[in-house]
Amino acid sequence: MSTKENQNESTFIKNLKKRKSEKFKVEPVFHDSKFELETLSYLRKQRYLDFLKIKIFLKIKFINNFPFGYILKNELDQVVGFLGTMFCTRKYDDSMLTFCNLHTWIVEKSYRLNSYLLLLEIMEKKYAITTFTPIKSLVGLYKKFGFKELQMKYRVVFFFNFLNFFKDQRFKIETDNLFIKQNLKKEDLKIYEDHHHLPCHKFIIVDKFDSSNNIFVLGSKNKKKNISIFNITHISNKNFFKKNNSMLLPIIAKKYKTLFFGQYYLDTKEIFLPQKNFFSREIDQSICVKNLPHRFSFDILYSELVC
């Protein structure tokens, strides 16, 4: 960010702090805390939210002693807004950094001029922050807070290789928890353990003839317009997967009963799904990020998109 942009952001935040009213309070919401039931009750009443889906996100706890969201309270001590948070620690170079992924920012219409209070609370902590599903009307506000708007792409391909689908494979899928733990490198083991409790698929593609080619995969199966899509969130050996996806995708297809695969990415260099395909579709989606480390490798781990 340029010096001028930093100055504009600093001025904007200072002006907001001057506007801050004592009538409103922002409270962190922890699991098993006094605010949890109050928060869930508020969200359950929001007709524009899919509460059952949101509830899955709210249960996620990647690290202890961090809130799963923040609530905005009015002068009557009523909840009038919520911003969901997913905190995690991730390795960068030789240190562990705290990341915060934002989701489900909702404030009642008559209080929306005070929406910024929820974000201000998190901004002061200087975390690396991402939001992968921002409402379009809020992107401008994120940018005023110094977030960078990026265009994430979601790519879906239909893949069917008749020759590789039925013949005996040199690769197989292993889902046994103990096997996975015993065969992961330290970095992938942390990802596995952090996501172990989530409703997503974790497995190792085993090379029967060369274990050095084993690949750890984390993904989820979702339905879009009645089509089952296996979204691949994380792959431990992208280059090998990319070179051999004609053999590897049929194995996943047979195991999870789908011929459609999805991937989120920023740069075309990151694509590991087939690029020359008779059926593929790409959708652009704005995301906002702030304080990300330089050259940090993009992925959607530790977010609501994993589920």
Side-chain angles (χ1 to χ4, degrees), residues 62-251:
F62 293 117
I63 48 177
N64 294 321
N65 303 319
F66 278 83
F68 67 79
Y70 291 80
I71 50 174
L72 178 65
K73 286 197 162 192
N74 64 10
E75 63 274 20
L76 300 176
D77 204 37
Q78 299 167 325
V79 178
V80 294
F82 173 80
L83 177 59
T85 55
M86 293 179 179
F87 288 94
C88 70
T89 55
R90 304 195 65 174
K91 186 178 180 182
Y92 177 70
D93 289 339
D94 294 323
S95 59
M96 299 299 291
L97 301 181
T98 300
F99 281 67
C100 177
N101 181 65
L102 305 177
H103 66 90
T104 319
W105 190 356
I106 183 168
V107 177
E108 292 183 20
K109 191 173 183 179
S110 56
Y111 294 96
R112 284 179 189 163
L113 285 176
N114 299 284
S115 298
Y116 71 91
L117 293 171
L118 288 164
L119 190 56
L120 197 62
E121 190 76 13
I122 298 166
M123 288 281 297
E124 292 178 344
K125 307 296 184 181
K126 303 296 181 183
Y127 301 121
I129 309 175
T130 59
T131 177
F132 294 132
T133 53
I135 300 171
K136 287 184 179 180
S137 60
L138 290 174
V139 170
L141 182 57
Y142 277 120
K143 291 169 76 171
K144 285 183 179 179
F145 271 98
F147 282 71
K148 184 184 293 185
E149 182 184 7
L150 303 175
Q151 289 301 309
M152 178 175 71
K153 294 184 182 295
Y154 176 59
R155 178 179 174 80
V156 177
V157 302
F158 172 85
F159 185 85
F160 182 77
N161 187 317
F162 184 83
L163 295 176
N164 284 329
F165 203 82
F166 295 104
K167 74 176 185 180
D168 187 30
Q169 299 288 343
R170 99 184 225 199
F171 300 99
K172 68 173 184 177
I173 286 180
E174 181 59 68
T175 60
D176 179 74
N177 292 336
L178 183 59
F179 180 89
I180 292 174
K181 288 183 179 181
Q182 291 176 340
N183 287 274
L184 289 182
K185 294 180 180 177
K186 185 176 181 180
E187 188 171 338
D188 283 314
L189 181 59
K190 182 181 187 310
I191 292 172
Y192 171 79
E193 291 181 334
D194 286 346
H195 291 80
H196 178 64
H197 60 295
L198 300 190
C200 55
H201 301 289
K202 285 87 53 182
F203 57 88
I204 290 180
I205 299 178
V206 178
D207 186 334
K208 298 175 184 177
F209 306 116
D210 185 354
S211 61
S212 65
N213 293 329
N214 290 357
I215 304 171
F216 171 56
V217 179
L218 188 149
S220 61
K221 188 177 176 183
N222 305 109
K223 272 196 173 183
K224 294 182 183 293
K225 296 182 179 179
N226 293 320
I227 296 175
S228 292
I229 303 172
F230 192 90
N231 292 316
I232 301 177
T233 304
H234 173 74
I235 291 178
S236 62
N237 191 340
K238 290 182 180 178
N239 290 331
F240 185 81
F241 189 95
K242 186 174 182 178
K243 289 177 183 177
N244 296 278
N245 56 35
S246 63
M247 291 188 290
L248 300 175
L249 288 177
I251 300 171

